[in-house]
Amino acid sequence: MGHTSLEKIIALQKNPANIRNLCILAHVDHGKTTLADCLVASNGIISSRLAGKLRYLDSREDEQVRGITMKSSAISLHYRNGDQEYLLNLIDSPGHVDFSSEVSTAVRLCDGAIVVVDAVEGVCPQTQAVLRQAWLENIRPVLVINKIDRLIMELKLTSQEAYTHLQKILEQVNAITGTLFTSKVLEERAEKEKEEEKESETLSGDQVFDWSAGLEEVDDSHLYFSPEQGNVVFASAIDGWGFSIQQFAHIYSQRMGIKAEVLLKTLWGDFYLNAKAKKIMKGAQAKGKKPLFVQFVLDNIWSLYDAVVTRRDKEKVEKVVASLGIKVMARDLRHSDPKVLLSAICSQWLPVSQAVLSMVCEKLPSPLDMASERAEKLMSVGARRFDSLPAQTQKLKTAFLQCSSEDNAPVIVFVSKMFAVDTKALPKYKPRPLTQEEIVQRRELARQRHADRMAADQTAAETTRDVLACQTCSTSEPQHHLDGIYNSNLAINVLVHSFSHLCQVPEGCSASDCVFEVPHLSCCSMESIYLLMGRELEDLEEVPAGNVLGIGGLEECVLKSATLSTTPACPPFTPLNFEATPIVRVAVEPKHPSEMPKLVRGMRLLNQADPCAEVLIQETGEHVLVTAGEVHLQRCLDDLRDRFAKIEISASKPIIPFRETVVRPPKVDMVNEELGKQQKVAIIHQVKESSQGRSSDTLLVDPSGLVTLTTPNRLATVCVRAIPLPQEVTQLLESNSEVIRTLEQINMSLREGKSLDISLRTLEAIAGLKDQLDSLLQGRKWRNAVERIWAFGPRRYGPNILLNNVDSYQRPSVWQCLGRGDKTVEAGAQAAVLRDFDNSIISGFLLATLSGPMCEEPLMGVCFCVERWDVQSSAPAQHQESFEEDSMSHKALADNKVERSSETSAQEEGMASGLGQAERRPEPASDCYGPVSGQLIAAMKEACRHAFQAQPQRLMAAMYTCEIMATAEVLGRVYGVLGKREGRVLHEEMKEGTDMFIIKAVLPVAESFGFADEIRKRTSGLASPQLVFSHWEVISSDPYWVPTTEEEYLHFGEKADSANQALKYMNAVRRRKGLYVEEKIVEHAEKQRTLSKNK
C-alpha cells in the first residue's frame, strides 16, 4: 500500500464505525516496536526493508541507544480490508516496568489492544501486568505470538515440539485471563447474594452453597485467545511474516476442496488428515499422527528456513518461489545475508501487517461499540455510584455511547498525558513544498527584486531584515501538547476538571458562568489541534468523535491529566491505574546557583510531561525528584538536563525510604541463647534513665512500657502504650488506604453536619475492611479493638492505629456510617459526644506517626493505646503566673515540630490541611485555639515517641520483587550478586522446553542501585532482572544492640564492630537529615609516627 495522504485520513476520521483505537502491549524486548515498524511500513511511511531496524516510533535518542521504548507514541494508519477502509489509531507503549505508567495512559485512550508474547520467553511479569491493565480498563485484547523464528534458529525445535510449546504459551495467557474473569464473576456473585439475603432474611430448610455457581452460568468463550476464533496471530516481525489460521484455511480449501469452515475448526487442535480416507479425524496425539497445524502450516515454514538460512539451497529456494507465485529481486537472491532473501520471500507470502491489521479490524471494537459498563465506570469517581449522579450528568452517557459529532452534541475529551514538543517540530514551522502558483509568484518577486537592486543598492537592507525576522520566529518557547479522545468539533471554551471531585452544577448554568461556582474547574481555550503521526504532527481544522488527537495550548490549565468538556455537567473521569509506585527519590540542584529559576521551571515542565514522576520541595528547601526506578530516574535527569532546564545539574545519591516499627520482645539473643530477665531490665532502666534526664518531672515510663506524660502547664495528662500490630493487619491497612481515606472523608462530613449519598459499593468495601480487621485482631489484648479505633495515621489513612482505651470516654465510632440502615447518611448530634481537644490527641498521634524517633521516618504497623486522658478545667495556682509564657513557648515548639517532622512538602500540606480541618470544627466547652490545645498536641506526640522507644525498635526496608531469567551456566553468578546485595531467593524454576531458569527473589531497594548493570556484566548479558516494588520488610537486627552476655562477647567481641545492617541504614538516614549520629571518629588517639621530621 502506498503512502496515505492527510486528506484521506481526515475523511476516514468522519466514520467512527471504521475507526480502531488500539495499543501494543508486551513485556520488554518482546518485539512491540518491531511489529509497529511492520505496520507503519504497510502505509509507505518507512521502507519495508528498514522495518525492525529503524524503530520508527522510538523517536528519542536514548530509546535508540538503549534499544527499549520509554515513551508511548501514537500514529494513524490506513488499511483496506476487502471493500472496507479503516483508520487505525495505533499507540506503541513501553514494556519496561519503570515506564508502566505510560502503558496506563495508552490503555485509557484505546478500545482494544495487541498483546505481544515472545515465543521463547513466554508469559513474563509485565505480560501479566499489561493483561491486568487491559482488563481493568475493560478493553478487548488480541494476541500476537512473536519471534517464532527463535524456535527454529536458537532452540532448534522440530515443528512438532514447536506446536507443543505454542500450545503451552497459549494456555499460560488464557490462565491469566481466566483468573481475572473468575475474580470478577465471584465478586458479582457475592454482591448478588448479599442483595438476595436482604430481600429474604429468613428461609426454611437446609441450604447448600455451591461455590462454583456463577462461573458455569456465564459465557466466557469470547474472552480467551484461540486461533480458531481468529484472535491469535503467529509471527516473526523481524523477518516480516505472520499468519492467522484463517489465511491457511483459505489457501488449503482452494487446493484440497475441503470447506474453509471445517479447516478453520480443525487446523488448531488434536486433528489429523487420514490420507487413505481423505478425511480429517480427531485423536492425532493418541495415534501418533502429525496434527494438521504441524503438517499444513509449521512444516512449510520450517522447510523454508531450512532451505534459505540453514542449507542455502538455491535450487530449492527457486522451486519454493515458483510454487508460491511470488517475485524476488535478483539482488536479494545474490545477497550474502540469507535473512534478506528470507524476509523478501516471507513478506510477500505471509505479510505480518496484513495478518495483524485484518485481525484488528475484525476482532477489536470501534468507538461506537464501547460497553456502557465502561462509560459508567469512567464517570463514577470515588464513592459516587453512577445512578446517584445528577440527571444531566447521566444523560451524557447516551452522547458518549452514540459518539456523535453533531453541532448540538457535547464535547468530551480525556487528556491522558502531556508531552513536550520542540517548536521546530510544529507543523507551522516545518518547511513544506511550494505549489505551482507560489513558485510563479516567487519567480516574479525575485525578478522584481533583481531589477530594484540594479536600480538602487539601498534596498539590500530590507532583505537582511526579512531574514532576521524569520530566524526570530523559529526560536520561540517549546509548546506542550496532549493525547486525548476528542468527541466533537473544536469548541473555543472548554472546562478543565483538574481534580477528582464532582459538585452539583446549577440548572441552566453555562460553561463560563459556573467556573467560579464549582471548585477544581477552570475555563480555557484551545490554540490548535494536531494529528499524531509518530515523530511528526499534522495540523487539523476539526476532529470528529472517537479519534485520538493532540491539543496545543493547555499547558497552563492541565498538570498531568484532565477531563475537558463544553458542559459543566460532565464529571471528571476516574484516575488512571498505575502499576508502578514512585519509590526512588533524589535531590537535584543546579551546578551554578544563579540558574535556580531555570531548574524550578524545568522541574515543573518535567512534572507535567511525565505521568509517573513527582517533584517535591522539602522543608529544607531541597528540590526532590521521585521516580519509579533506576532507568526512569536516568531518563528524567537527562530530560531535565537536555530538554526542560537546559542547564548543568547535580543529583544526590538516591534517597532511600525506610519505615520504623516495634516488634514483640525477642525470646533469644543474637547467639540464639534464651534471654533472661537481666537484659530486659537493663533496656527499661536505660530508657527510663535517658527519658528522666530529659524531663523527669512530667514523664514517667512504667516497666511494662506504659508512658505517662503531663503537659508543662499541668492541665492535661496522657498515658500511652505502644503495641506492634500483626503483620497481616499492617498489610491490610496499607492495601486499603483508599477505603480508609474515603471513610475519613465521610466521618469528616458527618462531623461538619453535611449529608452524604454513599454508594453501596463503598459501604461494602468499608464493611469488608471492618470484618477483616475483626477476624485478624483476635486475642485478649485485642478484644473489641476494632470498635475502639480512634484514628489511622499518618495523614489519617496510614498503617498505624490509635486505640481508645479510656474507660470514661465513649466517642463516636469511626464505623458510624455502617450503622445506618439507609444509603443516605445524615449528620446526627454526635458532635456533642466528642470531648474537648479530641482533635489535639489525633493531631499529636498523626505527628508522631509521621516521623519516628529512630531517624524521623514514618511509622508502620504500630498501635498506640491511650489508657488515660485527664484534662483539668483550670491551671493550679502556682503555675498561673507563668501560664501564658510557658504555653506560648510550647505552642511555638509544637509548631516547630510540625514543620520539622514532615518528610516532604506534599506530606506537610496534607498534615496542615488535616490539622486545619480538625481545628475548624467548634469545640463546645473550651477554646481549641488556646495554648492547652498546642501543649496537648506536643505532649501526645512525645508520649507516643517514648512509648515507641520503650518497646524493641526495628527499621523496615522497602523491598523489590526481582524476577531474573538466566541460563544454567550463569546461575551461580546471579546467586553471587544477589547474596552480595542482601537479596533472598524465594524460588527458582526451569522453563519447560528451554534451558532458561526463572529466579524469583526479594532485594532491598537500598541495595538495588547498579544491580541490573552488575548482573548484566557478571553474566555477559545472559541475565536480565525486572525490579518491581513489592512490600516493606522488618530488618531483623536491632540498630541499638550491644553485647551484654558472655556468649555474645565471645562471639562478637567487646566492640561488636561487625556490620549491623540496621545501624548502617539508620545512621545514613540521620546523617542525610542533619540529625545527631553517635559514632567515634577516632577510636584510639595515639601520636602519629611520620617518616620525615617535623619542621
Side-chain angles (χ1 to χ4, degrees), residues 881-1064:
E881 294 175 4
S882 60
F883 177 78
E884 297 264 338
E885 215 173 294
D886 283 351
S887 57
M888 290 307 288
S889 65
H890 282 283
K891 176 70 175 172
L893 178 67
D895 290 345
N896 187 29
K897 285 177 180 174
V898 170
E899 289 175 13
R900 201 177 65 238
S901 64
S902 60
E903 175 64 21
T904 62
S905 63
Q907 292 173 352
E908 189 176 359
E909 286 171 16
M911 178 58 61
S913 65
L915 294 178
Q917 288 170 346
E919 292 189 354
R920 275 201 295 276
R921 291 188 293 281
E923 296 285 0
S926 61
D927 180 15
C928 67
Y929 301 106
V932 181
S933 172
Q935 290 200 15
L936 189 55
I937 290 172
M940 180 63 189
K941 179 189 170 188
E942 287 303 313
C944 289
R945 288 171 78 99
H946 287 300
F948 183 91
Q949 288 174 309
Q951 302 294 331
Q953 306 165 61
R954 295 290 185 272
L955 269 185
M956 294 183 82
M959 303 296 284
Y960 277 136
T961 299
C962 174
E963 294 221 6
I964 307 169
M965 294 188 72
T967 52
E969 59 263 24
V970 296
L971 213 54
R973 296 176 198 171
V974 170
Y975 274 73
V977 176
L978 279 169
K980 176 184 164 188
R981 291 176 174 264
E982 308 287 332
R984 192 173 71 253
V985 176
L986 301 178
H987 65 82
E988 67 168 53
E989 59 179 335
M990 191 173 187
K991 260 193 175 296
E992 288 184 39
T994 67
D995 62 343
M996 300 290 284
F997 281 85
I998 300 174
I999 304 155
K1000 191 166 185 180
V1002 287
L1003 183 76
V1005 173
E1007 304 288 342
S1008 68
F1009 300 101
F1011 173 71
D1013 287 341
E1014 184 180 359
I1015 218 162
R1016 273 195 288 269
K1017 284 175 188 171
R1018 292 287 301 275
T1019 62
S1020 306
L1022 293 174
S1024 54
Q1026 281 276 99
L1027 298 173
V1028 186
F1029 175 70
S1030 170
H1031 64 285
W1032 296 90
E1033 192 172 286
V1034 177
I1035 300 172
S1036 56
S1037 55
D1038 181 0
Y1040 297 110
W1041 176 81
V1042 288
T1044 52
T1045 65
E1046 191 177 344
E1047 289 82 2
E1048 287 176 344
Y1049 272 115
L1050 287 170
H1051 191 274
F1052 293 101
E1054 188 179 344
K1055 293 187 287 184
D1057 50 3
S1058 58
N1060 183 341
Q1061 201 66 25
L1063 180 64
K1064 187 178 83 173

Side-chain angles (χ1 to χ4, degrees), residues 697 711-715 875-884 886:
D697 54 338
T711 55
N713 57 15
R714 302 295 192 278
L715 284 184
Q878 65 266 27
H879 291 280
Q880 202 74 11
E881 294 175 4
S882 60
F883 177 78
E884 297 264 338
D886 283 351

Side-chain angles (χ1 to χ4, degrees), residues 138-151:
N138 206 4
I139 68 170
R140 192 180 302 167
V142 290
L143 183 66
V144 173
I145 299 180
N146 193 24
K147 301 192 181 183
I148 291 181
D149 60 296
R150 290 184 67 191
L151 301 179

Side-chain angles (χ1 to χ4, degrees), residues 320-328 344-346 348-349:
V320 168
V321 169
S323 65
L324 292 175
I326 56 177
K327 291 182 181 179
V328 179
I345 296 170
C346 291
Q348 293 181 62
W349 176 37

Side-chain angles (χ1 to χ4, degrees), residues 1057-1078:
D1057 50 3
S1058 58
N1060 183 341
Q1061 201 66 25
L1063 180 64
K1064 187 178 83 173
Y1065 289 150
M1066 187 180 82
N1067 284 345
V1069 175
R1070 292 185 71 89
R1071 200 175 288 111
R1072 174 173 57 79
K1073 292 185 176 181
L1075 302 171
Y1076 171 69
V1077 179
E1078 188 175 348

Side-chain angles (χ1 to χ4, degrees), residues 272-308:
Y272 71 98
L273 182 67
N274 189 328
K276 291 179 182 178
K278 294 187 177 178
K279 285 182 180 178
I280 293 173
M281 303 182 78
K282 199 169 184 179
Q285 190 175 358
K287 293 175 183 176
K289 302 285 187 180
K290 270 189 182 181
L292 283 181
F293 187 75
V294 176
Q295 188 178 351
F296 286 179
V297 181
L298 295 185
D299 279 352
N300 290 324
I301 294 168
W302 257 244
S303 61
L304 179 65
Y305 269 82
D306 183 57
V308 177

Side-chain angles (χ1 to χ4, degrees), residues 244-261:
S244 61
I245 293 289
Q246 281 82 347
Q247 286 172 269
F248 277 96
H250 180 69
I251 292 167
Y252 283 110
S253 67
Q254 291 175 340
R255 283 191 186 179
M256 301 172 64
I258 302 173
K259 288 182 182 178
E261 293 80 12

Side-chain angles (χ1 to χ4, degrees), residues 556-616:
E556 298 300 325
C557 304
V558 179
L559 180 62
K560 289 178 184 280
S561 67
T563 308
L564 316 183
S565 181
T566 49
T567 168
C570 179
F573 286 1
T574 51
L576 296 163
N577 297 306
F578 288 141
E579 287 281 325
T581 314
I583 193 82
V584 180
R585 53 179 67 201
V586 293
V588 182
E589 62 181 18
K591 282 278 178 68
H592 306 291
S594 60
E595 294 178 328
M596 180 58 84
K598 290 182 180 178
L599 177 69
V600 172
R601 181 178 172 279
M603 290 189 80
R604 183 176 60 81
L605 293 177
L606 174 65
N607 187 34
Q608 209 168 11
D610 195 301
C612 191
E614 293 176 9
V615 172
L616 311 167

